[in-house]
Amino acid sequence: MKNKYLIILAAALLISCNKTAEEKENEITDLSSYVDPFIGTGGHGHTYPGATVPFGMLQVSPVNGVSAWDWCSGYHYSDDVAIGFSHLSLSGTGIGDLADIIFMPVNKEVDLSVKATSRDSIAYKSSYSHKNEKATPGYYQVFLQDHNVNVELTTSTRTAFHKYTFKEGDKQAVVIDLGFAINWDKAVETSLKVEDDYTISGYRHSKGWANNQKVFFVAKFSKPIATHNLYQNGAITKEASVKAPKTSAQLFFDAANTKELNVQVALSSVSVANAKDNLVPADATFEDTKKAANKLWNSALSQIVVETPVDSLKTIFYTALYHAQVAPVTFSDKNGQFRLENDSIVTAKNYTAYSTLSLWDTFRAEHPLLTLIAPDRVSDIVNSMLAYYETKKTLPVWTLYGNETNTMTGYHSIPVIVEAYKKGIRGFDAEKAFEAMKNTMMKNDRGLIYYKKYGFIPYSLIDESVTITLEYAYDDWCVAQMAKELGKEADYQYFLNRSKAYQYLFDNESGFMRGKSVDGKSWNTPFDPKHSNHREQTDYTEGNAWQHSWFVPHAVDNLIEIHGGNDQFAGRLEKLFTESSEITGDNVSADITGLIGQYAHGNEPSHHIAYMFNHANQPWRTQYWARHIMDTQYNTTPNGLSGNEDCGQMSAWYVLSSIGLYPMNPASGEYEIGSPIFEKSTINLPENKMFVIEAKHVSHNNFYIQSATLNGKPFNKTTLSHQDILKGGTLHFVMGNKPNKNWGIRDKAQQQTKN
């Protein structure tokens, strides 16, 4: 009898082990189940919950109809009213635009002739409840209470799918509004045409943040259009086509046979004909597209597999990895064509063109992340930037729908290109890229004329002079590195010398980078390092001296030296995190969020700072603050981001930091070692290679590195090269609850500035 029980127990244990293995396999193959697209839709995250695929052209998402900062994506979790579903959305930006081509299912005839003066006067709006709303990668669903319609959305790369389920016996209709606009956007010419019983097409030309945005679309319905009302600047017509600054339509469908109405919508920046070409085959179904979208996301998310018993950490991580891959967005059509801001049509040959390039933000961590998880897209992004360069012979600053917005400071397409080249990514013309970088930095625009004349930008000649000078110095260093790679010695020396511009602005007495006058001697006074004045009459961009004085990622060792050495530098750096969080001024930048002392994680200029302790021989402080930022600035609620997501940067910071790496100087090709939060992280690399990061004993309290090995050999450095990662292998950490102040200490030879 005893043996019988032992056999039963053994069988039970075997079944349990097999079940655990099966569950583990399912967990890895369905990583999308950990993603919550609502994270970041509250607070100041500015993300959208709608459906998209990795780097997809379309972002089909609900629009609340409010023009305000926290509705930059068109949606905010605090809201409960929808005015429709658009096909283009911005993820986490600080300026609002897009929300183009609005579709809204309704169960009654509405009067579209009334000019809407506010959301309250929009005839087709509807309330909804978050209880009847769902979002997963590639899929969104909501029930419209006022119209008794269940809306489901999914998408492929260039075609959106809508599925509307009406109440039995209700009228079935769809409103299309091309005149509607939010935030900076304004329609200047729109057109609608009922092409046949199943098809409507049109275009929407607008100006705003993207000053010359032209969107063409085609929509095919699963039922014939029974009747229609078209509106031209508010005037109704029974004609089959209309054209005006503001056009709209209500299409009616036969409610017999089925409660369900399906719509396929494709867009193009070029023409209606290209939009038609972008449509998927007619026999494609909603469910098949939804499954395909989920499969694409699982493939994209599986590039890094993390292991931890804490599910909330998986949710934060995989949602971050999701957000890091919604932008840049596909911009070229199926045939390769796309529109530049001067209205010329070009063709992407042997690459996919991308837009929504938020480079001031994303050069810091998102683009470095893509070199690990999507290297094939990196060369396409570089080729896209070189195509945009041709319009004005200047590399992109912030590209939206093919338009240069000139938003933010610096020319940070430059570090993206240099990083790609130094990491061995080819597929673009390196000589042409260098020419573009050099020409851009030799122009007179955006303060460069003063930068070249004085060696820095005097505060009296242009606002945000300190930030701009520091960023140009870094861009110059990047140009120098590319020149060195290509054997251009004279260019290397010239730009390397210019990259020392930060030295002009360092005030040793205060320890801050400060605005300096044209005489090169006197400072801008009065001086308050906590003072912020948003984007005008200020020396700093969306921040203050505390937050911007550390942007010298290319010469940290020299920055330490001019501070007076490791102890002096580390003391000032520590004070950044422990100083009071008071921000002074009457026009404080709303972007200063996520404060830990004066460190502002909610805005990008702070993102590299915690990793600078490594260079001051105090890596345990990097480990402490990196973990503290992860623990306090991210969570699983809609308010789970401490500031604007900014097209993937906020999330990419977490993805890389949580596995223990961060590209403090992206173009160096090296990653700083921080504090891994997961027991095991596996980066899946090309050629079926893997790089594994293990953290033995890691926990909420055990975040200090005690020792490390790389492929079984002792590892005592605080940096790891990209090339070492590409070789594959295992980086093994032993973690503890007290700092090991002997691990990762650099000798003097290691501390020499790298040129």
Side-chain angles (χ1 to χ4, degrees):
M1 195 68 164
K2 182 178 180 182
N3 289 338
K4 181 179 178 181
Y5 283 132
L6 288 173
I7 292 170
I8 293 172
L9 178 60
L13 287 171
L14 181 63
I15 293 171
S16 175
C17 289
N18 287 338
K19 184 178 180 182
T20 301
E22 182 181 345
E23 287 175 347
K24 189 174 182 180
E25 178 66 25
N26 289 338
E27 184 178 296
I28 292 173
T29 57
D30 192 23
L31 297 174
S32 65
S33 64
Y34 288 103
V35 176
D36 182 356
F38 289 111
I39 292 175
T41 61
H44 301 316
H46 296 185
T47 62
Y48 61 84
T52 191
V53 294
F55 311 100
M57 177 180 281
L58 304 179
Q59 310 83 40
V60 56
S61 190
V63 176
N64 296 135
V66 174
S67 289
W69 190 55
D70 278 332
W71 280 259
C72 281
S73 72
Y75 176 98
H76 195 264
Y77 198 79
S78 63
D79 215 326
D80 61 1
V81 173
I83 60 91
F85 304 90
S86 69
H87 293 79
L88 296 173
S89 307
L90 286 166
S91 180
T93 58
I95 298 176
D97 203 328
L98 303 185
D100 290 70
I101 320 297
I102 296 282
F103 276 53
M104 182 65 163
V106 296
N107 64 349
K108 61 185 178 183
E109 184 169 356
V110 295
D111 184 1
L112 299 178
S113 66
V114 178
K115 182 179 180 180
T117 56
S118 68
R119 183 175 70 174
D120 292 341
S121 58
I122 296 176
Y124 49 84
K125 71 180 185 300
S126 175
S127 58
Y128 63 91
S129 169
H130 294 306
K131 293 179 180 178
N132 289 316
E133 184 183 32
K134 180 181 179 181
T136 59
Y139 174 76
Y140 174 83
Q141 173 272 325
V142 70
F143 181 75
L144 300 176
Q145 295 173 341
D146 293 8
H147 303 309
N148 284 317
V149 180
N150 190 59
V151 176
E152 296 175 84
L153 308 171
T154 190
T155 185
S156 64
T157 299
R158 295 182 177 88
T159 302
F161 285 69
H162 301 234
K163 182 164 74 173
Y164 307 140
T165 304
F166 294 84
K167 185 179 179 182
E168 188 76 48
D170 272 8
K171 187 184 292 290
Q172 297 182 12
V174 176
V175 170
I176 303 173
D177 192 343
L178 301 189
F180 177 81
I182 59 170
N183 292 306
W184 287 33
D185 186 45
K186 179 184 179 182
V188 294
E189 182 176 303
T190 66
S191 175
L192 285 166
K193 180 181 180 181
V194 179
E195 295 202 353
D196 57 43
D197 288 348
Y198 294 89
T199 311
I200 189 167
S201 65
Y203 60 79
R204 185 179 189 275
H205 300 171
S206 62
K207 61 187 301 183
W209 192 15
N211 198 46
N212 181 28
Q213 187 192 354
K214 294 183 176 176
V215 185
F216 300 83
F217 83 96
V218 62
K220 285 192 172 292
F221 295 87
S222 60
K223 290 183 179 183
I225 301 168
T227 60
H228 63 265
N229 294 332
L230 298 188
Y231 292 81
Q232 184 171 290
N233 284 340
I236 191 170
T237 175
K238 289 294 183 180
E239 297 296 323
S241 65
V242 289
K243 182 171 71 172
K246 293 187 176 183
T247 59
S248 56
Q250 184 169 19
L251 312 177
F252 300 91
F253 302 86
D254 190 345
N257 300 323
T258 175
K259 299 182 293 181
E260 190 177 293
L261 176 65
N262 286 271
V263 197
Q264 295 180 12
V265 184
L267 306 187
S268 166
S269 68
V270 176
S271 64
V272 169
N274 274 21
K276 290 178 179 178
D277 189 46
N278 286 341
L279 272 173
V280 297
D283 59 353
T285 68
F286 184 95
E287 287 303 321
D288 285 346
T289 305
K290 177 184 173 184
K291 289 178 183 177
N294 183 259
K295 185 176 180 180
L296 284 172
W297 275 116
N298 273 314
S299 176
L301 296 170
S302 68
Q303 297 307 302
I304 303 179
V305 177
V306 298
E307 298 180 29
T308 175
V310 185
D311 279 353
S312 61
L313 290 180
K314 289 182 182 177
T315 296
I316 295 171
F317 177 85
Y318 283 111
T319 302
L321 192 55
Y322 165 82
H323 278 140
Q325 297 181 81
V326 300
V329 301
T330 297
F331 192 52
S332 54
D333 292 330
K334 186 178 176 182
N335 65 7
Q337 292 183 327
F338 61 102
R339 181 184 298 271
L340 298 178
E341 63 180 307
N342 62 6
D343 280 327
S344 62
I345 306 301
V346 295
T347 302
K349 296 179 180 178
N350 301 317
Y351 74 95
T352 298
Y354 291 92
S355 192
T356 308
L357 301 173
S358 182
L359 293 162
W360 190 74
D361 312 290
T362 56
F363 88 90
R364 305 168 195 268
E366 192 206 11
H367 287 284
L369 175 63
L370 297 185
T371 66
L372 287 170
I373 65 173
D376 290 345
R377 297 189 191 270
V378 174
S379 59
D380 286 3
I381 292 168
V382 172
N383 280 313
S384 303
M385 295 192 295
L386 295 178
Y388 298 132
Y389 166 79
E390 293 300 329
T391 59
K392 296 176 180 176
K393 296 299 180 182
T394 305
L395 280 168
V397 176
W398 211 122
T399 304
L400 174 62
Y401 216 78
N403 285 236
E404 179 53 71
T405 68
N406 275 311
T407 302
M408 308 312 293
T409 47
Y411 284 104
H412 299 317
S413 48
I414 291 172
V416 173
I417 296 170
V418 177
E419 177 189 26
Y421 193 79
K422 290 196 72 172
K423 288 182 174 180
I425 295 172
R426 298 299 184 258
F428 61 92
D429 187 331
E431 290 289 345
K432 180 181 177 181
F434 179 76
E435 173 195 316
M437 289 187 283
K438 180 178 177 179
N439 287 349
T440 296
M441 292 306 294
M442 291 304 293
K443 284 182 172 289
N444 293 328
D445 301 342
R446 292 162 48 84
L448 276 169
I449 187 172
Y450 308 125
Y451 180 78
K452 290 186 295 183
K453 180 178 179 180
Y454 297 99
F456 66 98
I457 298 176
Y459 72 84
S460 59
L461 301 181
I462 191 171
D463 281 343
E464 304 176 346
S465 63
V466 172
T467 298
I468 297 171
T469 296
L470 296 178
E471 293 187 6
Y472 282 161
Y474 179 61
D475 292 338
D476 274 344
W477 183 86
C478 293
V479 178
Q481 302 314 300
M482 193 69 170
K484 186 177 183 180
E485 291 283 330
L486 299 177
K488 302 177 186 294
E489 181 63 24
D491 288 324
Y492 169 68
Q493 293 296 340
Y494 174 78
F495 285 102
L496 184 65
N497 184 61
R498 278 199 353 185
S499 75
K500 299 172 184 176
Y502 65 90
Q503 295 177 352
Y504 287 99
L505 302 185
F506 180 70
D507 174 20
N508 185 57
E509 185 175 337
S510 67
F512 294 101
M513 298 288 178
R514 293 181 56 185
K516 184 167 274 188
S517 67
V518 292
D519 65 13
K521 298 177 181 179
S522 55
W523 302 108
N524 190 5
T525 56
F527 176 67
D528 174 4
K530 295 183 178 180
H531 186 268
S532 165
N533 199 41
H534 185 64
R535 305 310 305 265
E536 58 182 20
Q537 297 179 350
T538 179
D539 294 337
Y540 310 96
T541 303
E542 296 181 355
N544 60 25
W546 269 113
Q547 291 135 24
H548 283 266
S549 292
W550 312 96
F551 189 74
V552 189
H554 59 294
V556 178
D557 295 328
N558 181 249
L559 184 64
I560 292 171
E561 184 181 339
I562 63 178
H563 267 271
N566 287 340
D567 291 341
Q568 180 85 346
F569 177 83
R572 286 175 174 170
L573 197 56
E574 182 76 7
K575 192 175 181 182
L576 168 74
F577 291 94
T578 58
E579 183 72 15
S580 77
S581 295
E582 177 193 17
I583 306 294
T584 61
D586 298 326
N587 184 30
V588 171
S589 176
D591 298 276
I592 303 176
T593 58
L595 285 166
I596 303 172
Q598 285 289 312
Y599 173 90
H601 193 70
N603 209 17
E604 281 65 27
S606 288
H607 279 191
H608 69 291
I609 296 176
Y611 292 89
M612 299 178 88
F613 286 109
N614 281 350
H615 285 250
N617 262 356
Q618 297 188 20
W620 62 91
R621 293 191 186 275
T622 282
Q623 295 155 34
Y624 175 86
W625 288 113
R627 182 58 183 262
H628 184 75
I629 295 164
M630 284 185 269
D631 287 346
T632 61
Q633 303 299 305
Y634 298 84
N635 62 61
T636 60
T637 71
N639 199 17
L641 297 173
S642 60
N644 296 169
E645 164 63 14
D646 283 318
C647 298
Q649 170 57 27
M650 192 70 68
S651 290
W653 185 96
Y654 186 90
V655 169
L656 288 168
S657 293
S658 66
I659 65 173
L661 306 174
Y662 192 77
M664 184 185 68
N665 174 4
S668 70
E670 293 189 334
Y671 303 89
E672 298 291 327
I673 302 295
S675 179
I677 204 169
F678 301 111
E679 282 82 350
K680 184 178 181 181
S681 305
T682 302
I683 305 172
N684 291 304
L685 300 165
E687 302 176 0
N688 294 318
K689 293 181 180 178
M690 295 185 298
F691 189 80
V692 178
I693 301 171
E694 298 173 339
K696 187 178 181 180
H697 304 314
V698 71
S699 69
H700 182 71
N701 294 316
N702 293 350
F703 50 79
Y704 289 113
I705 296 172
Q706 305 300 298
S707 63
T709 59
L710 178 61
N711 299 326
K713 297 179 180 179
F715 183 80
N716 196 41
K717 298 195 305 179
T718 58
T719 59
L720 183 70
S721 76
H722 186 78
Q723 297 308 318
D724 281 340
I725 292 175
L726 291 185
K727 292 173 187 175
T730 300
L731 179 59
H732 180 85
F733 294 107
V734 176
M735 311 298 288
N737 62 5
K738 294 180 180 179
N740 176 1
K741 296 185 179 181
N742 293 314
W743 183 86
I745 301 303
R746 309 161 79 216
D747 60 31
K748 289 184 178 180
Q750 289 176 300
Q751 293 184 60
Q752 295 301 310
T753 303
K754 294 181 180 180
N755 291 335

XYZ file of all heavy atoms in Angstrom, residues 99 112 247 266 584 633 700:
51
model
N -4.593 62.252 -35.442
C -6.014 61.907 -35.247
C -6.774 62.076 -36.559
O -7.901 62.562 -36.585
C -6.647 62.742 -34.130
N -25.002 66.667 -39.461
C -23.598 67.066 -39.535
C -23.431 68.486 -40.060
O -22.308 68.938 -40.272
C -22.827 66.096 -40.440
C -22.808 64.631 -39.982
C -22.045 63.772 -40.986
C -22.200 64.493 -38.594
N -15.183 68.394 -44.826
C -16.187 67.500 -45.393
C -16.471 66.389 -44.400
O -15.633 66.036 -43.566
C -15.719 66.881 -46.718
O -14.509 66.141 -46.488
C -15.476 67.946 -47.770
N -7.332 51.720 -45.587
C -5.902 51.856 -45.854
C -5.585 53.312 -46.155
O -6.417 54.045 -46.700
C -5.490 50.971 -47.028
N 11.661 76.610 -9.195
C 11.269 78.013 -9.045
C 10.967 78.629 -10.408
O 11.406 78.148 -11.447
C 12.383 78.814 -8.359
O 13.561 78.756 -9.158
C 12.685 78.255 -6.980
N 9.380 55.181 -10.655
C 8.906 55.940 -11.807
C 8.059 55.130 -12.788
O 7.585 55.667 -13.794
C 10.099 56.541 -12.555
C 10.974 57.436 -11.685
C 10.225 58.627 -11.123
O 9.626 59.396 -11.860
N 10.251 58.776 -9.806
N 14.077 42.722 -4.185
C 13.779 44.134 -3.930
C 14.896 44.795 -3.127
O 15.187 45.986 -3.310
C 12.455 44.263 -3.173
C 12.054 45.685 -2.921
N 11.633 46.532 -3.917
C 12.045 46.429 -1.772
C 11.365 47.722 -3.414
N 11.605 47.687 -2.112
